[in-house]
Amino acid sequence: MSLRAASLIEARRRARSASSGPVRMRRICGTAAAYALPVEHRAPRTGSLFSGLTALPSVVRHSPDLWRACVRQAGLYGAWSALWTSLALLLTSEDAAGYGLSTATAGLFGLFGPAASVVAPLAGCFVDRFGAAKVVRSAYLLAAASVPLFWLGGHVMVSLSVAAIAVHAALVASHVANQTLALTTTSTPATANAAYVVAGFAGGAIASTLAGPAFTTSGGAGCARWRACGWCWDG
């Protein structure tokens, strides 16, 4: 067996080992949520099963507030996705542009997600008190403040950690506020929510696709520029 083939086999083995833990965690969380959530009894619905999907373009076109919520969340979720796509490369890269951490150590950055999730109930309270628009603006200001910290984070671990917490908090707060707008601005909240979720994941997929080449070309600075573009898209 050639050295190259052996290296590929070893890389695949490590990738499977690194992904098995998150997969198990998602299964545990999903099962726990299924048992914890209350059973919902709905009246039978009439019409085609896919009628909501065919109505998506019309619902978005006739609701400017929904359209803006979709675009804003697509941009911010894209910035968040670009963070995680490039963060793994930055932390584990052994060249001069990275920190050279092990996969297990780099995975500890995932703890910033649950830490920032405490923002969700606070964001909900602020939406009720001050309105969704003000919470959205505050979230984007926080995301904007994280951009220079990401640039500095290519060399300073503390700055990178603070920026990761900030962009997580901004994403959660904006999600609560934007989804509130999406669910309350039309007479078909389920269809509006579908459009909102599709827009968010589309923005994340596009940003993740661009973040990898940006890191390869320009390192952490290139990814920070993509995150800045995502934030500008929000505005």
Side-chain angles (χ1 to χ4, degrees), residues 76-101:
L76 194 52
Y77 189 71
W80 181 85
S81 295
L83 159 68
W84 283 107
T85 301
S86 56
L87 187 61
L89 299 173
L90 177 64
L91 293 175
T92 58
S93 178
E94 296 182 356
D95 57 20
Y99 284 96
L101 301 179

Side-chain angles (χ1 to χ4, degrees), residues 27 48 107 161 194:
R27 289 174 179 172
S48 171
S161 302

Side-chain angles (χ1 to χ4, degrees), residues 28-112:
I28 293 172
C29 292
T31 303
Y35 279 102
L37 292 175
V39 177
E40 183 178 2
H41 299 283
R42 295 185 177 183
R45 296 187 61 180
T46 59
S48 171
L49 177 63
F50 300 104
S51 59
L53 293 179
T54 58
L56 281 177
S58 176
V59 171
V60 174
R61 186 170 60 252
H62 290 94
S63 177
D65 288 334
L66 174 61
W67 167 255
R68 284 191 289 268
C70 290
V71 172
R72 287 193 298 254
Q73 195 61 19
L76 194 52
Y77 189 71
W80 181 85
S81 295
L83 159 68
W84 283 107
T85 301
S86 56
L87 187 61
L89 299 173
L90 177 64
L91 293 175
T92 58
S93 178
E94 296 182 356
D95 57 20
Y99 284 96
L101 301 179
S102 67
T103 304
T105 303
L108 294 176
F109 263 73
L111 296 176
F112 290 137

Side-chain angles (χ1 to χ4, degrees), residues 85 204-214:
T85 301
I206 293 171
S208 294
T209 302
L210 298 174

Side-chain angles (χ1 to χ4, degrees), residues 8-229:
L8 289 174
I9 293 174
E10 178 64 18
R12 290 175 182 173
R13 186 190 66 79
R14 290 182 178 178
R16 286 195 297 267
S17 176
S19 63
S20 61
V23 169
R24 285 195 295 268
M25 182 60 68
R26 285 194 293 271
R27 289 174 179 172
I28 293 172
C29 292
T31 303
Y35 279 102
L37 292 175
V39 177
E40 183 178 2
H41 299 283
R42 295 185 177 183
R45 296 187 61 180
T46 59
S48 171
L49 177 63
F50 300 104
S51 59
L53 293 179
T54 58
L56 281 177
S58 176
V59 171
V60 174
R61 186 170 60 252
H62 290 94
S63 177
D65 288 334
L66 174 61
W67 167 255
R68 284 191 289 268
C70 290
V71 172
R72 287 193 298 254
Q73 195 61 19
L76 194 52
Y77 189 71
W80 181 85
S81 295
L83 159 68
W84 283 107
T85 301
S86 56
L87 187 61
L89 299 173
L90 177 64
L91 293 175
T92 58
S93 178
E94 296 182 356
D95 57 20
Y99 284 96
L101 301 179
S102 67
T103 304
T105 303
L108 294 176
F109 263 73
L111 296 176
F112 290 137
S117 66
V118 299
V119 175
L122 294 176
C125 293
F126 290 150
V127 168
D128 291 338
R129 184 175 179 84
F130 302 109
K134 290 185 178 180
V135 176
V136 168
R137 285 195 293 269
S138 300
Y140 295 153
L141 288 174
L142 182 59
S146 73
V147 173
L149 293 175
F150 276 118
W151 256 305
L152 183 61
H155 308 282
V156 182
M157 178 66 75
V158 173
S159 175
L160 188 64
S161 302
V162 173
I165 295 175
V167 78
H168 267 93
L171 174 70
V172 172
S174 69
H175 173 60
V176 171
N178 281 322
Q179 194 167 41
T180 299
L181 291 173
L183 294 175
T184 57
T185 55
T186 71
S187 59
T188 54
T191 302
N193 189 55
Y196 171 80
V197 173
V198 168
F201 278 107
I206 293 171
S208 294
T209 302
L210 298 174
F215 182 88
T216 302
T217 303
S218 305
C223 293
R225 284 192 290 271
W226 277 117
R227 285 187 285 271
C229 289

